[in-house]
Amino acid sequence: DVKVTQSSRYLVKRTGEKVFLECVQDMDHENMFWYRQDPGLGLRLIYFSYDVKMKEKGDIPEGYSVSREKKERFSLILESASTNQTSMYLCASSLTSGRSGYNEQFFGPGTRLTVL
Amino acid sequence: LAKTTQPISMDSYEGQEVNITCSHNNIATNDYITWYQQFPSQGPRFIIQGYKTKVTNEVASLFIPADRKSSTLSLPRVSLSDTAVYYCLVAPTGGGGNKLTFGTGTQLKVEL
């Protein structure tokens, strides 16, 4: 069974802290994504990676960076956490080849981050 | 970018058919349309995907008109367990992974 795991379900951090959110997939997928989900705003793409060490900005990259050193792992980094980054963060992965492309994404359970 | 628009919420009763429509006026030629279901405290889960006309699987049907500017997810005979948020996604099949766009989601509530 396909699996995307995220390092924490709940996380509480203080303003100004550096925060790492980790995501691991076991499906050998090329693509990995980080989204944030807020009430009334749906899912918004933060960053996307289509290969090791490759990344592209999504709709809302400001205040975030990412790292993909290995194919199965995609990390989201908040360099200096702020209260407006309190949100649910969702990681996903997908294949590149075939008709599905980016459409059939497999999501992790999410990390609810609270920044105080 | 293909911006998508969905109703914020819908209510239904068990056994009824539910149709949720997503508007995507700026859809590109190589974009596909996908629908996801999300329960509380879980990540979204793939339901169905299509390019044009009609697609059906064991849980839903997807209707896409010829101009592809909208799509309709049809859930036959819903049950209480179908209460969830439903998202449409417009995304290319290759390249431009940073151009995919989720809708804001439709909260479906099914009652007895």
Side-chain angles (χ1 to χ4, degrees), chain A residues 9-10 33 35 37 40-43 45 48 56-59 90 96 98-105 107-109, chain B residues 1 32-34 36 38 41-44 46 49 87 89-100 102-104:
Chain A
R9 290 301 303 270
Y10 300 93
F33 309 82
Y35 297 89
Q37 184 173 35
L41 298 177
L43 284 94
L45 181 66
F48 154 67
E56 290 186 17
K57 294 179 180 178
D59 293 328
L90 288 158
T96 292
R99 196 177 72 174
S100 292
Y102 307 121
N103 284 273
E104 188 167 1
Q105 297 183 28
F107 283 83
Chain B
L1 293 181
Y32 273 70
I33 300 151
T34 312
Y36 287 79
Q38 185 179 25
S41 302
Q42 295 184 23
F46 173 93
Q49 172 190 295
Y87 291 94
L89 166 66
V90 174
T93 52
N98 58 335
K99 295 182 174 60
L100 53 88
F102 272 92
T104 52

Side-chain angles (χ1 to χ4, degrees), chain B residues 6-96:
Chain B
Q6 302 175 233
I8 293 172
S9 64
M10 296 182 71
D11 294 327
S12 185
Y13 293 96
E14 276 203 317
Q16 290 191 333
E17 178 184 76
V18 171
N19 295 308
I20 306 174
T21 297
C22 180
S23 297
H24 27 79
N25 291 320
N26 297 325
I27 190 167
T29 303
N30 64 340
D31 284 341
Y32 273 70
I33 300 151
T34 312
W35 284 81
Y36 287 79
Q37 177 189 56
Q38 185 179 25
F39 297 112
S41 302
Q42 295 184 23
R45 183 181 68 167
F46 173 93
I47 301 175
I48 196 166
Q49 172 190 295
Y51 184 80
K52 61 181 178 180
T53 63
K54 178 183 174 182
V55 179
T56 297
N57 63 21
E58 63 276 7
V59 298
S61 294
L62 178 59
F63 299 91
I64 305 169
D67 66 6
R68 304 200 329 122
K69 292 182 184 294
S70 67
S71 58
T72 299
L73 174 72
S74 181
L75 304 172
R77 297 180 300 282
V78 295
S79 64
L80 294 175
S81 62
D82 292 315
T83 293
V85 179
Y86 293 82
Y87 291 94
C88 74
L89 166 66
V90 174
T93 52

Side-chain angles (χ1 to χ4, degrees), chain A residues 46-61:
Chain A
I46 304 172
Y47 266 100
F48 154 67
S49 170
Y50 55 91
D51 201 350
V52 174
K53 297 190 187 295
M54 308 306 289
K55 63 186 179 185
E56 290 186 17
K57 294 179 180 178
D59 293 328
I60 50 165

Side-chain angles (χ1 to χ4, degrees), chain A residues 2 14 36-37 48 59 71-72 75 77 91 97-98 111:
Chain A
V2 296
R14 298 238 175 243
R36 64 177 283 176
Q37 184 173 35
F48 154 67
D59 293 328
K71 190 176 185 179
E72 68 271 18
S75 302
I77 303 154
C91 174
S97 60
T111 296

